[in-house]
Amino acid sequence: MNQIVWIARHANRLDFVNPDWFLTAERRYDPPLSEDGMVQAQQLAKRLKGENIAHIFASPFLRTVQTANAVAEVLDLPIKLETGLSEWLNIVWMTEEPQRLSTRVLAELFPRIDTSYTSRIAVNYPETYEKMQERSGQTARCLTTEFSPEDILLVGHGASVLGATIGLVGEIARTEVKASLCSLVKVVRQHPEWLLELKGDTSHLTQVEEVIRFN
């Protein structure tokens, strides 16, 4: 049986719209979605409605949880928090380890979070690009194997979306996938290979970023 893996990047983030937010934020490396980002997340959810997705996995950063929650509400599914899908913990982007909301607090805000799920892949700050790509790819391979043959959705960040895709289809994804905000990658398992069907699709969005920003 074929397995489909959908890989989405989070929607637009508040500090991209209002850079000054960063200056006074309590958790400055964990911004929420912007207003237009919330709209994008709803558009992503509408796009995925009717797909046979059985499990949703999300990076535990607030913007990815918010994006995943919009989809989970439409598909009536729980959200599994997976640290292996986290943002690239780049010391150039983040001068200290990013502070995030705890799973308990996130679950209070988003009751669809499955608190019984234990993340499969750990992440340590700081990490090199190579380490980020390795753990993102490992995460994708681990989850697709464990939950096979069911279709799954991974919600991550620009770098981890690319890393997860490379982990399944190989280096071809590095030049072909465009991981813009709230874009959608579709990978299909046809034993023994993975086929890249969508390479960062944004046709479900009414507003698309002109220049792809990872940070």
PDB file of all heavy atoms in Angstrom, residues 7-13 16 33 40-41 44 63-64 67-68 87 93 153-161 178-185 204 209 211-215:
ATOM      1  N   ILE A   7       4.264  17.433   4.145  1.00  0.00           N
ATOM      2  CA  ILE A   7       5.202  18.195   4.976  1.00  0.00           C
ATOM      3  C   ILE A   7       4.923  19.678   4.746  1.00  0.00           C
ATOM      4  O   ILE A   7       5.051  20.174   3.622  1.00  0.00           O
ATOM      5  CB  ILE A   7       6.668  17.871   4.634  1.00  0.00           C
ATOM      6  CG1 ILE A   7       6.894  16.350   4.629  1.00  0.00           C
ATOM      7  CG2 ILE A   7       7.606  18.545   5.632  1.00  0.00           C
ATOM      8  CD1 ILE A   7       8.281  15.935   4.167  1.00  0.00           C
ATOM      9  N   ALA A   8       4.502  20.368   5.812  1.00  0.00           N
ATOM     10  CA  ALA A   8       4.115  21.778   5.689  1.00  0.00           C
ATOM     11  C   ALA A   8       5.016  22.655   6.552  1.00  0.00           C
ATOM     12  O   ALA A   8       5.412  22.266   7.662  1.00  0.00           O
ATOM     13  CB  ALA A   8       2.660  21.965   6.111  1.00  0.00           C
ATOM     14  N   ARG A   9       5.321  23.822   6.037  1.00  0.00           N
ATOM     15  CA  ARG A   9       5.990  24.833   6.864  1.00  0.00           C
ATOM     16  C   ARG A   9       4.914  25.659   7.568  1.00  0.00           C
ATOM     17  O   ARG A   9       3.801  25.832   7.055  1.00  0.00           O
ATOM     18  CB  ARG A   9       6.860  25.747   5.998  1.00  0.00           C
ATOM     19  CG  ARG A   9       7.679  26.726   6.838  1.00  0.00           C
ATOM     20  CD  ARG A   9       8.506  27.673   5.985  1.00  0.00           C
ATOM     21  NE  ARG A   9       9.198  28.633   6.840  1.00  0.00           N
ATOM     22  CZ  ARG A   9       9.867  29.689   6.391  1.00  0.00           C
ATOM     23  NH1 ARG A   9       9.922  29.922   5.079  1.00  0.00           N
ATOM     24  NH2 ARG A   9      10.455  30.520   7.222  1.00  0.00           N
ATOM     25  N   HIS A  10       5.248  26.158   8.741  1.00  0.00           N
ATOM     26  CA  HIS A  10       4.324  27.022   9.473  1.00  0.00           C
ATOM     27  C   HIS A  10       3.956  28.256   8.653  1.00  0.00           C
ATOM     28  O   HIS A  10       4.669  28.653   7.718  1.00  0.00           O
ATOM     29  CB  HIS A  10       4.934  27.461  10.807  1.00  0.00           C
ATOM     30  CG  HIS A  10       6.196  28.278  10.636  1.00  0.00           C
ATOM     31  ND1 HIS A  10       6.183  29.615  10.307  1.00  0.00           N
ATOM     32  CD2 HIS A  10       7.504  27.930  10.739  1.00  0.00           C
ATOM     33  CE1 HIS A  10       7.423  30.070  10.226  1.00  0.00           C
ATOM     34  NE2 HIS A  10       8.249  29.059  10.476  1.00  0.00           N
ATOM     35  N   ALA A  11       2.857  28.881   9.025  1.00  0.00           N
ATOM     36  CA  ALA A  11       2.394  30.098   8.353  1.00  0.00           C
ATOM     37  C   ALA A  11       3.203  31.312   8.821  1.00  0.00           C
ATOM     38  O   ALA A  11       4.137  31.191   9.628  1.00  0.00           O
ATOM     39  CB  ALA A  11       0.908  30.290   8.626  1.00  0.00           C
ATOM     40  N   ASN A  12       2.851  32.486   8.319  1.00  0.00           N
ATOM     41  CA  ASN A  12       3.614  33.698   8.611  1.00  0.00           C
ATOM     42  C   ASN A  12       3.689  33.968  10.110  1.00  0.00           C
ATOM     43  O   ASN A  12       2.732  33.747  10.850  1.00  0.00           O
ATOM     44  CB  ASN A  12       3.001  34.902   7.887  1.00  0.00           C
ATOM     45  CG  ASN A  12       3.990  36.050   7.750  1.00  0.00           C
ATOM     46  OD1 ASN A  12       5.178  35.917   8.026  1.00  0.00           O
ATOM     47  ND2 ASN A  12       3.486  37.199   7.318  1.00  0.00           N
ATOM     48  N   ARG A  13       4.838  34.474  10.550  1.00  0.00           N
ATOM     49  CA  ARG A  13       5.103  34.687  11.974  1.00  0.00           C
ATOM     50  C   ARG A  13       5.101  36.166  12.319  1.00  0.00           C
ATOM     51  O   ARG A  13       5.451  37.018  11.494  1.00  0.00           O
ATOM     52  CB  ARG A  13       6.421  34.034  12.364  1.00  0.00           C
ATOM     53  CG  ARG A  13       7.539  34.289  11.395  1.00  0.00           C
ATOM     54  CD  ARG A  13       8.734  33.385  11.597  1.00  0.00           C
ATOM     55  NE  ARG A  13       9.623  33.913  12.629  1.00  0.00           N
ATOM     56  CZ  ARG A  13      10.813  33.370  12.916  1.00  0.00           C
ATOM     57  NH1 ARG A  13      11.229  32.285  12.270  1.00  0.00           N
ATOM     58  NH2 ARG A  13      11.577  33.900  13.840  1.00  0.00           N
ATOM     59  N   PHE A  16       8.051  38.523  11.595  1.00  0.00           N
ATOM     60  CA  PHE A  16       8.283  38.876  10.196  1.00  0.00           C
ATOM     61  C   PHE A  16       7.460  40.104   9.816  1.00  0.00           C
ATOM     62  O   PHE A  16       7.865  40.900   8.978  1.00  0.00           O
ATOM     63  CB  PHE A  16       7.898  37.711   9.280  1.00  0.00           C
ATOM     64  CG  PHE A  16       8.950  36.629   9.174  1.00  0.00           C
ATOM     65  CD1 PHE A  16      10.068  36.619   9.998  1.00  0.00           C
ATOM     66  CD2 PHE A  16       8.822  35.620   8.231  1.00  0.00           C
ATOM     67  CE1 PHE A  16      11.032  35.616   9.895  1.00  0.00           C
ATOM     68  CE2 PHE A  16       9.777  34.623   8.109  1.00  0.00           C
ATOM     69  CZ  PHE A  16      10.880  34.613   8.950  1.00  0.00           C
ATOM     70  N   LEU A  33       1.979  33.123  15.317  1.00  0.00           N
ATOM     71  CA  LEU A  33       1.601  33.514  13.968  1.00  0.00           C
ATOM     72  C   LEU A  33       1.120  34.955  13.947  1.00  0.00           C
ATOM     73  O   LEU A  33       0.579  35.461  14.930  1.00  0.00           O
ATOM     74  CB  LEU A  33       0.488  32.603  13.435  1.00  0.00           C
ATOM     75  CG  LEU A  33       0.802  31.121  13.246  1.00  0.00           C
ATOM     76  CD1 LEU A  33      -0.417  30.416  12.645  1.00  0.00           C
ATOM     77  CD2 LEU A  33       2.035  30.898  12.387  1.00  0.00           C
ATOM     78  N   GLN A  40      -3.514  32.079   6.630  1.00  0.00           N
ATOM     79  CA  GLN A  40      -2.796  31.069   5.850  1.00  0.00           C
ATOM     80  C   GLN A  40      -2.993  29.670   6.428  1.00  0.00           C
ATOM     81  O   GLN A  40      -3.177  28.702   5.683  1.00  0.00           O
ATOM     82  CB  GLN A  40      -1.306  31.397   5.816  1.00  0.00           C
ATOM     83  CG  GLN A  40      -0.941  32.595   4.966  1.00  0.00           C
ATOM     84  CD  GLN A  40       0.548  32.868   5.001  1.00  0.00           C
ATOM     85  OE1 GLN A  40       1.220  32.624   5.999  1.00  0.00           O
ATOM     86  NE2 GLN A  40       1.083  33.374   3.898  1.00  0.00           N
ATOM     87  N   ALA A  41      -2.941  29.562   7.763  1.00  0.00           N
ATOM     88  CA  ALA A  41      -3.114  28.260   8.411  1.00  0.00           C
ATOM     89  C   ALA A  41      -4.499  27.683   8.109  1.00  0.00           C
ATOM     90  O   ALA A  41      -4.651  26.475   7.874  1.00  0.00           O
ATOM     91  CB  ALA A  41      -2.891  28.386   9.914  1.00  0.00           C
ATOM     92  N   LEU A  44      -4.444  26.386   4.602  1.00  0.00           N
ATOM     93  CA  LEU A  44      -3.768  25.090   4.556  1.00  0.00           C
ATOM     94  C   LEU A  44      -4.716  23.983   5.020  1.00  0.00           C
ATOM     95  O   LEU A  44      -4.788  22.912   4.397  1.00  0.00           O
ATOM     96  CB  LEU A  44      -2.526  25.115   5.444  1.00  0.00           C
ATOM     97  CG  LEU A  44      -1.780  23.782   5.598  1.00  0.00           C
ATOM     98  CD1 LEU A  44      -1.169  23.339   4.270  1.00  0.00           C
ATOM     99  CD2 LEU A  44      -0.696  23.899   6.675  1.00  0.00           C
ATOM    100  N   ARG A  63       4.484  28.750  16.675  1.00  0.00           N
ATOM    101  CA  ARG A  63       3.980  29.003  15.318  1.00  0.00           C
ATOM    102  C   ARG A  63       3.635  27.706  14.580  1.00  0.00           C
ATOM    103  O   ARG A  63       2.687  27.690  13.799  1.00  0.00           O
ATOM    104  CB  ARG A  63       4.993  29.828  14.516  1.00  0.00           C
ATOM    105  CG  ARG A  63       6.391  29.234  14.414  1.00  0.00           C
ATOM    106  CD  ARG A  63       7.356  30.285  13.885  1.00  0.00           C
ATOM    107  NE  ARG A  63       8.741  29.838  13.755  1.00  0.00           N
ATOM    108  CZ  ARG A  63       9.628  29.851  14.728  1.00  0.00           C
ATOM    109  NH1 ARG A  63       9.272  30.232  15.954  1.00  0.00           N
ATOM    110  NH2 ARG A  63      10.881  29.471  14.514  1.00  0.00           N
ATOM    111  N   THR A  64       4.392  26.640  14.837  1.00  0.00           N
ATOM    112  CA  THR A  64       4.079  25.368  14.196  1.00  0.00           C
ATOM    113  C   THR A  64       2.873  24.700  14.849  1.00  0.00           C
ATOM    114  O   THR A  64       2.052  24.082  14.174  1.00  0.00           O
ATOM    115  CB  THR A  64       5.301  24.426  14.234  1.00  0.00           C
ATOM    116  OG1 THR A  64       5.984  24.582  15.482  1.00  0.00           O
ATOM    117  CG2 THR A  64       6.258  24.727  13.107  1.00  0.00           C
ATOM    118  N   THR A  67      -0.216  26.430  13.530  1.00  0.00           N
ATOM    119  CA  THR A  67      -0.493  25.999  12.161  1.00  0.00           C
ATOM    120  C   THR A  67      -1.091  24.599  12.158  1.00  0.00           C
ATOM    121  O   THR A  67      -2.097  24.333  11.489  1.00  0.00           O
ATOM    122  CB  THR A  67       0.798  26.030  11.321  1.00  0.00           C
ATOM    123  OG1 THR A  67       1.372  27.350  11.361  1.00  0.00           O
ATOM    124  CG2 THR A  67       0.520  25.642   9.878  1.00  0.00           C
ATOM    125  N   ALA A  68      -0.476  23.698  12.923  1.00  0.00           N
ATOM    126  CA  ALA A  68      -0.983  22.323  13.010  1.00  0.00           C
ATOM    127  C   ALA A  68      -2.378  22.277  13.611  1.00  0.00           C
ATOM    128  O   ALA A  68      -3.219  21.477  13.194  1.00  0.00           O
ATOM    129  CB  ALA A  68      -0.027  21.466  13.833  1.00  0.00           C
ATOM    130  N   GLU A  87      12.803  23.990  14.797  1.00  0.00           N
ATOM    131  CA  GLU A  87      13.602  24.970  14.066  1.00  0.00           C
ATOM    132  C   GLU A  87      15.082  24.599  14.157  1.00  0.00           C
ATOM    133  O   GLU A  87      15.519  23.942  15.106  1.00  0.00           O
ATOM    134  CB  GLU A  87      13.369  26.356  14.696  1.00  0.00           C
ATOM    135  CG  GLU A  87      14.168  27.490  14.104  1.00  0.00           C
ATOM    136  CD  GLU A  87      13.781  27.800  12.666  1.00  0.00           C
ATOM    137  OE1 GLU A  87      14.254  27.058  11.770  1.00  0.00           O
ATOM    138  OE2 GLU A  87      13.050  28.765  12.441  1.00  0.00           O
ATOM    139  N   TRP A  93      21.414  32.613  14.539  1.00  0.00           N
ATOM    140  CA  TRP A  93      20.051  33.121  14.638  1.00  0.00           C
ATOM    141  C   TRP A  93      19.632  33.335  16.091  1.00  0.00           C
ATOM    142  O   TRP A  93      18.858  34.235  16.389  1.00  0.00           O
ATOM    143  CB  TRP A  93      19.066  32.125  14.017  1.00  0.00           C
ATOM    144  CG  TRP A  93      19.175  31.952  12.545  1.00  0.00           C
ATOM    145  CD1 TRP A  93      19.964  32.662  11.674  1.00  0.00           C
ATOM    146  CD2 TRP A  93      18.477  30.992  11.750  1.00  0.00           C
ATOM    147  NE1 TRP A  93      19.793  32.202  10.395  1.00  0.00           N
ATOM    148  CE2 TRP A  93      18.891  31.184  10.409  1.00  0.00           C
ATOM    149  CE3 TRP A  93      17.542  30.004  12.035  1.00  0.00           C
ATOM    150  CZ2 TRP A  93      18.386  30.412   9.360  1.00  0.00           C
ATOM    151  CZ3 TRP A  93      17.044  29.225  10.989  1.00  0.00           C
ATOM    152  CH2 TRP A  93      17.463  29.428   9.671  1.00  0.00           C
ATOM    153  N   LEU A 153       1.022  13.923   8.413  1.00  0.00           N
ATOM    154  CA  LEU A 153       1.366  15.321   8.156  1.00  0.00           C
ATOM    155  C   LEU A 153       2.442  15.741   9.143  1.00  0.00           C
ATOM    156  O   LEU A 153       2.285  15.551  10.355  1.00  0.00           O
ATOM    157  CB  LEU A 153       0.134  16.224   8.310  1.00  0.00           C
ATOM    158  CG  LEU A 153       0.402  17.736   8.350  1.00  0.00           C
ATOM    159  CD1 LEU A 153       0.959  18.241   7.021  1.00  0.00           C
ATOM    160  CD2 LEU A 153      -0.880  18.503   8.723  1.00  0.00           C
ATOM    161  N   LEU A 154       3.523  16.318   8.636  1.00  0.00           N
ATOM    162  CA  LEU A 154       4.588  16.881   9.455  1.00  0.00           C
ATOM    163  C   LEU A 154       4.541  18.394   9.305  1.00  0.00           C
ATOM    164  O   LEU A 154       4.552  18.902   8.181  1.00  0.00           O
ATOM    165  CB  LEU A 154       5.958  16.367   9.004  1.00  0.00           C
ATOM    166  CG  LEU A 154       6.126  14.853   8.787  1.00  0.00           C
ATOM    167  CD1 LEU A 154       7.543  14.537   8.339  1.00  0.00           C
ATOM    168  CD2 LEU A 154       5.763  14.090  10.053  1.00  0.00           C
ATOM    169  N   VAL A 155       4.497  19.115  10.417  1.00  0.00           N
ATOM    170  CA  VAL A 155       4.486  20.583  10.377  1.00  0.00           C
ATOM    171  C   VAL A 155       5.772  21.082  11.018  1.00  0.00           C
ATOM    172  O   VAL A 155       6.004  20.875  12.217  1.00  0.00           O
ATOM    173  CB  VAL A 155       3.260  21.166  11.097  1.00  0.00           C
ATOM    174  CG1 VAL A 155       3.258  22.692  10.972  1.00  0.00           C
ATOM    175  CG2 VAL A 155       1.974  20.586  10.518  1.00  0.00           C
ATOM    176  N   GLY A 156       6.602  21.718  10.204  1.00  0.00           N
ATOM    177  CA  GLY A 156       7.900  22.152  10.696  1.00  0.00           C
ATOM    178  C   GLY A 156       8.242  23.568  10.264  1.00  0.00           C
ATOM    179  O   GLY A 156       7.367  24.413  10.060  1.00  0.00           O
ATOM    180  N   HIS A 157       9.542  23.795  10.101  1.00  0.00           N
ATOM    181  CA  HIS A 157      10.090  25.105   9.763  1.00  0.00           C
ATOM    182  C   HIS A 157      10.797  25.002   8.416  1.00  0.00           C
ATOM    183  O   HIS A 157      10.984  23.906   7.883  1.00  0.00           O
ATOM    184  CB  HIS A 157      11.067  25.533  10.857  1.00  0.00           C
ATOM    185  CG  HIS A 157      10.477  25.474  12.224  1.00  0.00           C
ATOM    186  ND1 HIS A 157      10.011  26.586  12.892  1.00  0.00           N
ATOM    187  CD2 HIS A 157      10.250  24.413  13.053  1.00  0.00           C
ATOM    188  CE1 HIS A 157       9.527  26.215  14.075  1.00  0.00           C
ATOM    189  NE2 HIS A 157       9.662  24.907  14.195  1.00  0.00           N
ATOM    190  N   GLY A 158      11.205  26.134   7.871  1.00  0.00           N
ATOM    191  CA  GLY A 158      11.829  26.105   6.561  1.00  0.00           C
ATOM    192  C   GLY A 158      12.954  25.083   6.466  1.00  0.00           C
ATOM    193  O   GLY A 158      12.981  24.242   5.561  1.00  0.00           O
ATOM    194  N   ALA A 159      13.877  25.125   7.420  1.00  0.00           N
ATOM    195  CA  ALA A 159      15.027  24.230   7.382  1.00  0.00           C
ATOM    196  C   ALA A 159      14.640  22.786   7.640  1.00  0.00           C
ATOM    197  O   ALA A 159      15.144  21.866   6.976  1.00  0.00           O
ATOM    198  CB  ALA A 159      16.079  24.689   8.401  1.00  0.00           C
ATOM    199  N   SER A 160      13.745  22.550   8.600  1.00  0.00           N
ATOM    200  CA  SER A 160      13.386  21.161   8.918  1.00  0.00           C
ATOM    201  C   SER A 160      12.453  20.549   7.879  1.00  0.00           C
ATOM    202  O   SER A 160      12.461  19.334   7.676  1.00  0.00           O
ATOM    203  CB  SER A 160      12.783  21.050  10.327  1.00  0.00           C
ATOM    204  OG  SER A 160      11.591  21.793  10.474  1.00  0.00           O
ATOM    205  N   VAL A 161      11.659  21.370   7.207  1.00  0.00           N
ATOM    206  CA  VAL A 161      10.857  20.872   6.086  1.00  0.00           C
ATOM    207  C   VAL A 161      11.791  20.357   4.984  1.00  0.00           C
ATOM    208  O   VAL A 161      11.607  19.254   4.448  1.00  0.00           O
ATOM    209  CB  VAL A 161       9.932  21.969   5.529  1.00  0.00           C
ATOM    210  CG1 VAL A 161       9.386  21.586   4.149  1.00  0.00           C
ATOM    211  CG2 VAL A 161       8.782  22.232   6.485  1.00  0.00           C
ATOM    212  N   LYS A 178      10.901  24.311  -2.490  1.00  0.00           N
ATOM    213  CA  LYS A 178      10.875  25.710  -2.073  1.00  0.00           C
ATOM    214  C   LYS A 178       9.999  25.806  -0.819  1.00  0.00           C
ATOM    215  O   LYS A 178       8.769  25.809  -0.908  1.00  0.00           O
ATOM    216  CB  LYS A 178      10.317  26.604  -3.181  1.00  0.00           C
ATOM    217  CG  LYS A 178      11.032  26.449  -4.521  1.00  0.00           C
ATOM    218  CD  LYS A 178      12.506  26.793  -4.429  1.00  0.00           C
ATOM    219  CE  LYS A 178      13.203  26.658  -5.784  1.00  0.00           C
ATOM    220  NZ  LYS A 178      14.669  26.861  -5.673  1.00  0.00           N
ATOM    221  N   ALA A 179      10.651  25.868   0.335  1.00  0.00           N
ATOM    222  CA  ALA A 179       9.926  25.803   1.606  1.00  0.00           C
ATOM    223  C   ALA A 179       9.505  27.192   2.070  1.00  0.00           C
ATOM    224  O   ALA A 179       9.941  27.693   3.106  1.00  0.00           O
ATOM    225  CB  ALA A 179      10.780  25.110   2.667  1.00  0.00           C
ATOM    226  N   SER A 180       8.616  27.821   1.317  1.00  0.00           N
ATOM    227  CA  SER A 180       8.106  29.138   1.708  1.00  0.00           C
ATOM    228  C   SER A 180       7.036  28.980   2.783  1.00  0.00           C
ATOM    229  O   SER A 180       6.611  27.875   3.113  1.00  0.00           O
ATOM    230  CB  SER A 180       7.546  29.870   0.489  1.00  0.00           C
ATOM    231  OG  SER A 180       6.512  29.118  -0.114  1.00  0.00           O
ATOM    232  N   LEU A 181       6.614  30.093   3.347  1.00  0.00           N
ATOM    233  CA  LEU A 181       5.654  30.067   4.447  1.00  0.00           C
ATOM    234  C   LEU A 181       4.371  29.343   4.055  1.00  0.00           C
ATOM    235  O   LEU A 181       3.768  29.635   3.025  1.00  0.00           O
ATOM    236  CB  LEU A 181       5.331  31.489   4.893  1.00  0.00           C
ATOM    237  CG  LEU A 181       6.471  32.247   5.579  1.00  0.00           C
ATOM    238  CD1 LEU A 181       6.138  33.721   5.704  1.00  0.00           C
ATOM    239  CD2 LEU A 181       6.782  31.640   6.951  1.00  0.00           C
ATOM    240  N   CYS A 182       3.969  28.396   4.880  1.00  0.00           N
ATOM    241  CA  CYS A 182       2.719  27.641   4.724  1.00  0.00           C
ATOM    242  C   CYS A 182       2.649  26.866   3.413  1.00  0.00           C
ATOM    243  O   CYS A 182       1.567  26.546   2.932  1.00  0.00           O
ATOM    244  CB  CYS A 182       1.507  28.556   4.875  1.00  0.00           C
ATOM    245  SG  CYS A 182       0.117  27.763   5.724  1.00  0.00           S
ATOM    246  N   SER A 183       3.822  26.559   2.867  1.00  0.00           N
ATOM    247  CA  SER A 183       3.870  25.750   1.644  1.00  0.00           C
ATOM    248  C   SER A 183       3.689  24.281   1.995  1.00  0.00           C
ATOM    249  O   SER A 183       3.772  23.874   3.156  1.00  0.00           O
ATOM    250  CB  SER A 183       5.196  25.963   0.916  1.00  0.00           C
ATOM    251  OG  SER A 183       6.279  25.550   1.733  1.00  0.00           O
ATOM    252  N   LEU A 184       3.453  23.481   0.971  1.00  0.00           N
ATOM    253  CA  LEU A 184       3.113  22.083   1.167  1.00  0.00           C
ATOM    254  C   LEU A 184       3.956  21.191   0.257  1.00  0.00           C
ATOM    255  O   LEU A 184       4.009  21.390  -0.952  1.00  0.00           O
ATOM    256  CB  LEU A 184       1.626  21.875   0.866  1.00  0.00           C
ATOM    257  CG  LEU A 184       0.947  20.584   1.306  1.00  0.00           C
ATOM    258  CD1 LEU A 184       1.075  20.381   2.819  1.00  0.00           C
ATOM    259  CD2 LEU A 184      -0.515  20.609   0.897  1.00  0.00           C
ATOM    260  N   VAL A 185       4.619  20.238   0.887  1.00  0.00           N
ATOM    261  CA  VAL A 185       5.371  19.212   0.166  1.00  0.00           C
ATOM    262  C   VAL A 185       4.571  17.913   0.263  1.00  0.00           C
ATOM    263  O   VAL A 185       3.983  17.606   1.300  1.00  0.00           O
ATOM    264  CB  VAL A 185       6.781  19.029   0.779  1.00  0.00           C
ATOM    265  CG1 VAL A 185       7.489  17.813   0.171  1.00  0.00           C
ATOM    266  CG2 VAL A 185       7.608  20.292   0.597  1.00  0.00           C
ATOM    267  N   HIS A 204      -2.853  26.957  -2.497  1.00  0.00           N
ATOM    268  CA  HIS A 204      -3.968  27.095  -1.566  1.00  0.00           C
ATOM    269  C   HIS A 204      -3.975  28.453  -0.874  1.00  0.00           C
ATOM    270  O   HIS A 204      -4.926  28.785  -0.173  1.00  0.00           O
ATOM    271  CB  HIS A 204      -3.904  25.990  -0.502  1.00  0.00           C
ATOM    272  CG  HIS A 204      -2.564  25.882   0.169  1.00  0.00           C
ATOM    273  ND1 HIS A 204      -1.477  25.306  -0.448  1.00  0.00           N
ATOM    274  CD2 HIS A 204      -2.136  26.275   1.396  1.00  0.00           C
ATOM    275  CE1 HIS A 204      -0.444  25.344   0.368  1.00  0.00           C
ATOM    276  NE2 HIS A 204      -0.807  25.931   1.479  1.00  0.00           N
ATOM    277  N   GLU A 209       4.634  34.791   0.112  1.00  0.00           N
ATOM    278  CA  GLU A 209       5.803  35.652   0.295  1.00  0.00           C
ATOM    279  C   GLU A 209       6.618  35.713  -0.999  1.00  0.00           C
ATOM    280  O   GLU A 209       6.760  34.716  -1.715  1.00  0.00           O
ATOM    281  CB  GLU A 209       6.670  35.157   1.444  1.00  0.00           C
ATOM    282  CG  GLU A 209       7.248  33.768   1.282  1.00  0.00           C
ATOM    283  CD  GLU A 209       8.132  33.363   2.431  1.00  0.00           C
ATOM    284  OE1 GLU A 209       8.624  34.259   3.146  1.00  0.00           O
ATOM    285  OE2 GLU A 209       8.342  32.153   2.638  1.00  0.00           O
ATOM    286  N   VAL A 211       9.884  36.714  -1.225  1.00  0.00           N
ATOM    287  CA  VAL A 211      11.246  36.247  -0.961  1.00  0.00           C
ATOM    288  C   VAL A 211      11.182  35.261   0.191  1.00  0.00           C
ATOM    289  O   VAL A 211      10.644  35.587   1.264  1.00  0.00           O
ATOM    290  CB  VAL A 211      12.190  37.408  -0.614  1.00  0.00           C
ATOM    291  CG1 VAL A 211      13.582  36.877  -0.287  1.00  0.00           C
ATOM    292  CG2 VAL A 211      12.257  38.418  -1.754  1.00  0.00           C
ATOM    293  N   ILE A 212      11.702  34.057  -0.005  1.00  0.00           N
ATOM    294  CA  ILE A 212      11.639  33.041   1.032  1.00  0.00           C
ATOM    295  C   ILE A 212      12.628  33.375   2.150  1.00  0.00           C
ATOM    296  O   ILE A 212      13.815  33.537   1.910  1.00  0.00           O
ATOM    297  CB  ILE A 212      11.947  31.639   0.463  1.00  0.00           C
ATOM    298  CG1 ILE A 212      10.900  31.268  -0.592  1.00  0.00           C
ATOM    299  CG2 ILE A 212      11.985  30.599   1.577  1.00  0.00           C
ATOM    300  CD1 ILE A 212      11.152  29.953  -1.274  1.00  0.00           C
ATOM    301  N   ARG A 213      12.117  33.508   3.370  1.00  0.00           N
ATOM    302  CA  ARG A 213      12.922  33.793   4.552  1.00  0.00           C
ATOM    303  C   ARG A 213      12.894  32.585   5.475  1.00  0.00           C
ATOM    304  O   ARG A 213      11.823  32.050   5.774  1.00  0.00           O
ATOM    305  CB  ARG A 213      12.387  35.015   5.302  1.00  0.00           C
ATOM    306  CG  ARG A 213      12.440  36.310   4.548  1.00  0.00           C
ATOM    307  CD  ARG A 213      11.825  37.434   5.372  1.00  0.00           C
ATOM    308  NE  ARG A 213      12.483  37.600   6.667  1.00  0.00           N
ATOM    309  CZ  ARG A 213      12.063  38.485   7.588  1.00  0.00           C
ATOM    310  NH1 ARG A 213      10.995  39.227   7.370  1.00  0.00           N
ATOM    311  NH2 ARG A 213      12.694  38.584   8.732  1.00  0.00           N
ATOM    312  N   PHE A 214      14.070  32.166   5.964  1.00  0.00           N
ATOM    313  CA  PHE A 214      14.128  31.092   6.945  1.00  0.00           C
ATOM    314  C   PHE A 214      14.221  31.662   8.351  1.00  0.00           C
ATOM    315  O   PHE A 214      13.923  30.992   9.328  1.00  0.00           O
ATOM    316  CB  PHE A 214      15.326  30.186   6.673  1.00  0.00           C
ATOM    317  CG  PHE A 214      15.022  29.104   5.647  1.00  0.00           C
ATOM    318  CD1 PHE A 214      13.940  29.213   4.790  1.00  0.00           C
ATOM    319  CD2 PHE A 214      15.825  27.995   5.548  1.00  0.00           C
ATOM    320  CE1 PHE A 214      13.659  28.236   3.856  1.00  0.00           C
ATOM    321  CE2 PHE A 214      15.560  26.989   4.623  1.00  0.00           C
ATOM    322  CZ  PHE A 214      14.480  27.118   3.766  1.00  0.00           C
ATOM    323  N   ASN A 215      14.656  32.906   8.481  1.00  0.00           N
ATOM    324  CA  ASN A 215      14.755  33.529   9.796  1.00  0.00           C
ATOM    325  C   ASN A 215      14.705  35.047   9.651  1.00  0.00           C
ATOM    326  O   ASN A 215      15.168  35.574   8.669  1.00  0.00           O
ATOM    327  CB  ASN A 215      16.045  33.131  10.507  1.00  0.00           C
ATOM    328  CG  ASN A 215      16.097  33.650  11.927  1.00  0.00           C
ATOM    329  OD1 ASN A 215      15.253  33.321  12.746  1.00  0.00           O
ATOM    330  ND2 ASN A 215      17.071  34.487  12.205  1.00  0.00           N
TER     331      ASN A 215
END
